[in-house]
Amino acid sequence: LLRATKPGGVSSEDERFPEAAAHAKGAEGVQTIRVVSEKIDQIMDLVGELVMGRSMMVRLVSDLEARYPREELVGNFQLANAFVERSLSELQRSVMSVRMVPVGRVFKRFPRMVRDLSRISGKEIRLDMRGEDTEIDKALVDMIGEPLLHIIRNAVDHGIERPSEREGAGKPRKGRITLSVAHADGNTAEIKVADDGGGI
């Protein structure tokens, strides 16, 4: 979703179509529009080409500076290039942020799944989730759903023991599966699935 607001917080569409605008506002009152993900990908590709063009400009300005060290026009090129570099970096960060969505979009399907599997298997299991607000690239969110589903299903089927077995081992009757995600560094998110069962 892209935010589309005027500096005052009200879009021009709000002024012309107040009923439609009220309907379009979410729970937080933020004006949004839907954008096909392929269009965002196209913008990302264009930004990538602009980054390559910026690198070419840096080399050209460096060559000009070496050939004409005292030329005033070279200094003006440097100022213009620095301005373009700052603007392009900000554009790149903004486009990247548009692609980011909370990983909770994937996580929200798992509590009910664990409850259903617990009932079918006769086991008592609690699912703890942490870091659902952590944002990752939408393409990754779409990719990790099925692998996580299988990992959690394996934890239920083969990791967590039956209540009687757990009590015999001095454990609480209810087993616990923990699903967590956090940013490991600037470009990496680490997703962990753990259980307190006997293991596979």
Side-chain angles (χ1 to χ4, degrees), residues 151 154-156 158-161 166 176-178 193-200:
I151 292 172
N154 281 337
V156 172
H158 308 293
I160 303 294
E161 312 94 332
R166 292 180 62 83
R176 182 176 64 188
I177 298 173
T178 303
V193 182
D195 68 72
D196 66 349
I200 299 175

Side-chain angles (χ1 to χ4, degrees), residues 110-123 125 149 152-154 156-157:
F110 297 131
R112 181 173 181 176
M113 183 193 80
V114 170
R115 286 195 302 270
D116 292 343
L117 291 174
S118 299
R119 187 176 63 252
I120 294 169
S121 64
K123 299 177 180 180
I125 303 173
L149 185 148
I152 294 172
R153 184 184 294 274
N154 281 337
V156 172
D157 292 340

Side-chain angles (χ1 to χ4, degrees), residues 172-185:
R173 284 180 58 86
K174 181 174 285 190
R176 182 176 64 188
I177 298 173
T178 303
L179 174 61
S180 63
V181 60
H183 284 297
D185 58 47

Side-chain angles (χ1 to χ4, degrees), residues 54-73:
R54 181 188 65 187
S55 299
M56 294 168 62
M57 288 292 295
V58 169
R59 288 196 298 270
L60 288 173
V61 170
S62 179
D63 290 344
L64 285 173
E65 186 178 19
R67 288 188 185 186
Y68 310 103
R70 298 180 182 179
E71 180 61 48
E72 182 180 353
L73 189 60

Side-chain angles (χ1 to χ4, degrees), residues 72-85:
E72 182 180 353
L73 189 60
V74 175
N76 292 337
F77 269 117
Q78 290 173 327
L79 290 174
N81 187 61
F83 175 78
V84 170
E85 185 170 357

Side-chain angles (χ1 to χ4, degrees), residues 10-26 31:
V10 179
S11 72
S12 58
E13 294 296 319
D14 287 359
E15 297 165 353
R16 289 185 292 150
F17 306 106
E19 297 85 359
H23 178 71
K25 288 182 179 179
Q31 191 78 14

